[in-house]
Amino acid sequence: MKKLLLLLVAVSFFGCATTKNIDNSNIKLRYLDDVVLPQNLEVEGTKVGGLSGIDFHNGNYYLVCDQASNPRVYKAEIPFLNRSIDTVLITEVIKLNKEEDFYKKHTPDLEGIRFDTEKNELVLSAEGSIQNGKNPSVFHISTKGEFLSAYEIPEYFKASGEQKPRNNGVFEGLTQSFDKKAYWVAMELPLEKDGPKPKIYATNSPVRITKYIKNTQKPERQFAYKLDGISKFPINWFAVNGVTEILEYAEDKFLVLERAYSAGYGSNGNTVKIFDVDASEATNTLALENLRKSDYQYAEKRLVFDFKSVKNFLTEETIDNIEGMTFGPDLPNGKKSLMLVSDDNFSSFSDQITQFILLELEIK
């Protein structure tokens, strides 16, 4: 009886917790195609999976794998056939040396990747291992995998910080700034003292999205982004929602990918949405130690794409753990492509897939 009552209460709050309707925006997204990689695909002695970030440069895609025990980047070719994906061909494995001193102090649980065109280097974001006292990080590597340099992060992001970062909830999304002078890094979940994790009912759950300047490798600006609530009541009492990727498409304008998961639904547990976000009027929260006790203005968000609307068109009719997103090459009609990839967690939690999804992007 108590569980039933809790369910009814949660459902009554449902409309307040999530952004449900596609809002007016200058962004228009259209599903075109998807491809699912074979399970147990191996390249150069590594199992292809755990793909948590993707970027496109000079005809190639770069995919980061979040297997901390064997950190690596895959290079791939994904040619189009008209407005569909022709194939996905993994061409190279770029391995990181786990014995590097930096990785011993910062567990390389890699989540985001961008190609720095000015330096011909790769930029990675990593969650570290908060529960083991290892800090999250943002750093550069060569295209051969050699560690080069790292950015300075605020104290409240560190594992020993009083703000208490959540394990597996720190640096996730990564994008180059529109002016190419900086990188924006998004947390997946709020710091413990900033706010609670999202629930099935409405909560004030802010994540910090921080701008790091390339030349100084220090943070300059930050804004707070309010997470949606959980979309489905968790049958097995576990649920999460967080930011998995960001892209800045104009100054202070972003595409933000949110992924929610509710246990107990098998392959139907994920809810994935893309939001159009305007941070031009948002408060600079960089110096605010505790958002729960501070006055600030969130970035404005509008829902522009809900993957639920195309579920029946997907190859396996499954919305999986989509974590990576990048601008791709122009399509034959002159519009931009948007390529997304899912992290199958090496199927350690359930029967998951590595899926590439192609969308058409129109910025009006």
Side-chain angles (χ1 to χ4, degrees):
M1 183 65 183
K2 288 183 178 179
K3 288 185 179 181
L4 177 59
L5 179 60
L6 180 58
L7 175 61
L8 291 174
V9 171
V11 171
S12 71
F13 279 108
F14 179 80
C16 302
T18 60
T19 305
K20 298 175 66 176
N21 298 318
I22 302 295
D23 204 343
N24 290 329
S25 169
N26 65 331
I27 296 292
K28 186 175 182 180
L29 291 167
R30 181 180 294 108
Y31 167 79
L32 297 181
D33 194 20
D34 75 290
V35 166
V36 176
L37 293 189
Q39 288 188 334
N40 300 316
L41 173 65
E42 291 194 5
V43 177
E44 296 182 23
T46 68
K47 183 178 177 180
V48 178
L51 304 181
S52 56
I54 183 171
D55 199 26
F56 176 78
H57 170 68
N58 197 26
N60 294 296
Y61 290 85
Y62 294 84
L63 299 143
V64 70
C65 171
D66 66 1
Q67 188 176 39
S69 62
N70 185 13
R72 57 195 183 271
V73 172
Y74 290 102
K75 190 175 179 180
E77 295 176 5
I78 310 177
F80 296 163
L81 182 61
N82 295 321
R83 287 154 54 84
S84 63
I85 299 172
D86 184 29
T87 188
V88 175
L89 179 64
I90 307 294
T91 59
E92 184 181 347
V93 182
I94 303 170
K95 297 182 179 180
L96 281 62
N97 179 11
K98 248 197 94 180
E99 299 306 309
E100 166 70 45
D101 285 344
F102 181 80
Y103 302 137
K104 291 179 180 180
K105 298 175 183 177
H106 305 78
T107 300
D109 181 358
L110 309 176
E111 297 294 343
I113 184 168
R114 296 298 167 201
F115 194 101
D116 191 309
T117 55
E118 295 178 342
K119 296 184 176 183
N120 198 44
E121 299 170 359
L122 293 168
V123 184
L124 306 176
S125 63
E127 290 191 304
S129 180
I130 302 302
Q131 63 187 6
N132 293 311
K134 303 295 180 69
N135 291 333
S137 57
V138 184
F139 58 96
H140 286 243
I141 64 170
S142 73
T143 54
K144 299 298 181 181
E146 304 157 319
F147 173 79
L148 298 173
S149 63
Y151 290 77
E152 179 181 307
I153 67 171
E155 287 294 320
Y156 44 66
F157 289 141
K158 296 181 179 179
S160 59
E162 293 183 1
Q163 297 304 101
K164 299 184 182 300
R166 288 180 163 94
N167 194 62
N168 291 327
V170 201
F171 298 163
E172 185 84 17
L174 175 67
T175 183
Q176 184 169 227
S177 63
F178 186 69
D179 63 9
K180 302 188 187 309
K181 295 180 180 179
Y183 286 97
W184 291 92
V185 183
M187 300 178 65
E188 181 177 359
L189 297 171
L191 295 171
E192 285 191 17
K193 289 191 177 180
D194 281 347
K197 291 190 292 186
K199 309 293 183 184
I200 194 71
Y201 52 86
T203 60
N204 197 31
S205 300
V207 294
R208 298 176 186 245
I209 299 179
T210 310
K211 188 176 188 179
Y212 296 86
I213 304 302
K214 288 185 187 180
N215 290 340
T216 64
Q217 294 201 313
K218 294 182 179 180
E220 178 191 73
R221 190 183 160 210
Q222 184 185 90
F223 65 88
Y225 172 87
K226 186 177 181 179
L227 291 169
D228 265 23
I230 303 301
S231 300
K232 299 177 181 179
F233 187 82
I235 297 173
N236 291 342
W237 307 104
F238 172 78
V240 66
N241 181 43
V243 170
T244 60
E245 192 60 284
I246 56 173
L247 287 171
E248 188 175 23
Y249 68 86
E251 186 176 359
D252 288 330
K253 304 291 180 62
F254 300 82
L255 296 179
V256 174
L257 185 68
E258 284 191 43
R259 181 263 294 118
Y261 173 76
S262 296
Y265 294 89
S267 61
N268 296 310
N270 290 294
T271 301
V272 184
K273 300 175 182 178
I274 299 175
F275 294 89
D276 181 16
V277 175
D278 185 347
S280 59
E281 300 296 326
T283 303
N284 184 354
T285 56
L286 187 61
L288 300 181
E289 292 290 327
N290 188 328
L291 296 185
R292 201 190 297 255
K293 295 182 179 180
S294 304
D295 292 325
Y296 60 91
Q297 183 172 333
Y298 277 116
E300 182 182 352
K301 63 188 286 190
R302 297 182 179 89
L303 178 62
V304 292
F305 194 82
D306 188 338
F307 280 86
K308 180 175 64 175
S309 66
V310 299
K311 179 182 176 182
N312 292 337
F313 297 97
L314 299 174
T315 299
E316 298 197 11
E317 297 187 5
T318 297
I319 302 168
D320 214 308
N321 180 33
I322 303 172
E323 291 199 1
M325 179 170 66
T326 184
F327 299 119
D330 289 346
L331 296 164
N333 61 3
K335 295 178 181 178
K336 269 289 184 188
S337 65
L338 196 68
M339 184 70 74
L340 299 99
V341 67
S342 67
D343 174 1
D344 69 346
N345 292 309
F346 294 100
S347 295
S348 56
F349 299 110
S350 61
D351 186 19
Q352 294 183 268
I353 57 177
T354 298
Q355 179 182 40
F356 291 81
I357 301 175
L358 176 63
L359 303 181
E360 177 187 273
L361 169 65
E362 182 179 0
I363 303 176
K364 300 177 183 178

